[in-house]
Every structure is written in structure tokens, then in C-alpha cells.
Amino acid sequence: MTSPRTDFKLDLTALGYSVGGFVHADAVVLHSLDELEQRGRQVQGKIVVFNYNWTNYHAASHMRVDGPSLCAKHGARGMLIRSVASKSVYSVHTGYMEYDPRYPRIPAAAITVEDADMIERMTNRRQRVTLKLNISTDFRHNCSSNNVVFEIVGSTMPEKVLLMGGHFDSWDTGSQTGANDDGGGVMTTY
């Protein structure tokens, strides 16, 4: 962030499949893809910051998946999205996105819930928020992936089967490293 705070660093992580790039532009805060369609002219040349009201993962993930192309359709130069999570402890949760080939590819990243709320408070006070994004991305082909499959036979009812599933992924960085997505949830069920 270069304005209103100078040299304030946002914690962010590029969305999966995002292009890299350098963008220095004013931010405009939106809350939904519908609002983007209504206010499309206002995002021209700007960085869109989606700060939605959390309802559920499915509803929020549409902004992450489709948002970059729809922002580019209206001339935005970059897109940030509030982490697709119900709660946060200043940790970024990211995931994949998709580009529509009809529109330019713009850099897209997830930011913390706290930073999205802060940017919105600033814009609500009519402060000009200017962001500088410098995102580097890399796509590696032919990488290995592994699965963990196991069986624990019960001591009381060994003939009964309880099937569970979950994932441990590497979308998240820092303290997250997949342990909280959704490893923490998987472990609490045991």
C-alpha cells in the first residue's frame, strides 16, 4: 500500500493459475460479482478488492474463481479478494481461479480478512487507497502428488464401516501449509 499509509505491506498470496505482474493503481472495494456488473465503469484502471459478507464457501468462491476475468472485462488492472474463509487470524487462504479467454489476464491474489476490512474502512472514510502489487507466479508441469489411504478396524463394531475423506493441500503458505485446509477439520472428526 502506498496511500494513505506509505509502505504498508499487505499479506497476500497469488491465486492458483494467476499470472504475475506489476500493478500500481487505486483500489475500489466491491462486495459481489453483481456489484461489479453494476459499477463496471468505476473499476477501469483500478485494482478491485472484493470484501464480501461471509455466508458460505460456495458463494464466496465464485468471486475468486470468476472474479479476475470479470474484473478484466471492465478494465480493471488487478484483483484482490478477501480470503475465502469464515474467520482469520491474519492468515491468507487462497485457491484456484480460471481465466476466460475473451478477456485479458490480470494478476489476482487473496488477502487477509483483516486487510480487506481495513481497506474498506479507509474507502468508507473517502480516503484514496493506492496499492502496488508485484506478483510473481510459476506453473510447474509434471509434479508428483500423493494420497494417503488407510483403514482402522473398530474394536467395538469391527464389521461396521465409517468412510471419511478430506484433503491436506499446499495452497496456503506460512503457518497454514495445508494443516488447516482442511487437515484441522479432518483431525477433529477422529
Side-chain angles (χ1 to χ4, degrees), residues 159-170:
E159 72 286 351
K160 300 286 185 179
V161 175
L162 173 63
L163 181 64
M164 300 183 70
H167 68 276
F168 299 86
D169 62 30
S170 61

Side-chain angles (χ1 to χ4, degrees), residues 16-83:
Y17 305 114
S18 174
V19 295
F22 178 82
V23 180
H24 190 190
D26 289 345
V28 59
V29 176
L30 302 176
H31 305 93
S32 68
L33 295 176
D34 289 338
E35 185 179 9
L36 172 63
E37 290 303 314
Q38 294 167 5
R39 297 178 54 194
R41 290 178 188 228
Q42 296 172 14
V43 307
Q44 178 90 27
K46 304 234 167 81
I47 297 170
V48 172
V49 178
F50 281 115
N51 190 26
Y52 55 88
N53 292 318
W54 173 264
T55 54
N56 62 63
Y57 186 85
H58 181 73
S61 65
H62 284 294
M63 279 178 277
R64 185 191 69 214
V65 174
D66 301 326
S69 287
L70 295 175
C71 289
K73 169 185 166 185
H74 293 289
R77 297 182 53 213
M79 188 203 89
L80 298 175
I81 185 166
R82 169 191 173 124
S83 290

Side-chain angles (χ1 to χ4, degrees), residues 82-94:
R82 169 191 173 124
S83 290
V84 179
S86 58
K87 302 276 187 229
S88 174
V89 284
Y90 204 74
S91 57
V92 179
H93 176 85
T94 188

Side-chain angles (χ1 to χ4, degrees), residues 2-25:
T2 59
S3 173
R5 295 183 179 177
T6 57
D7 294 324
F8 178 80
K9 294 186 188 281
L10 300 174
D11 195 7
L12 63 83
T13 302
L15 298 182
Y17 305 114
S18 174
V19 295
F22 178 82
V23 180
H24 190 190

Side-chain angles (χ1 to χ4, degrees), residues 132-188:
K132 186 175 1 178
L133 303 179
N134 189 6
I135 298 175
S136 297
T137 59
D138 182 20
F139 188 79
R140 298 181 185 184
H141 298 278
N142 301 322
C143 294
S144 297
S145 177
N146 297 294
N147 291 312
V148 177
V149 179
F150 62 93
E151 179 180 357
I152 301 173
V153 178
S155 59
T156 308
M157 296 179 278
E159 72 286 351
K160 300 286 185 179
V161 175
L162 173 63
L163 181 64
M164 300 183 70
H167 68 276
F168 299 86
D169 62 30
S170 61
W171 285 111
D172 299 316
T173 58
S175 65
Q176 298 291 78
T177 62
N180 290 330
D181 182 19
D182 96 303
V186 170
M187 293 311 293
T188 60

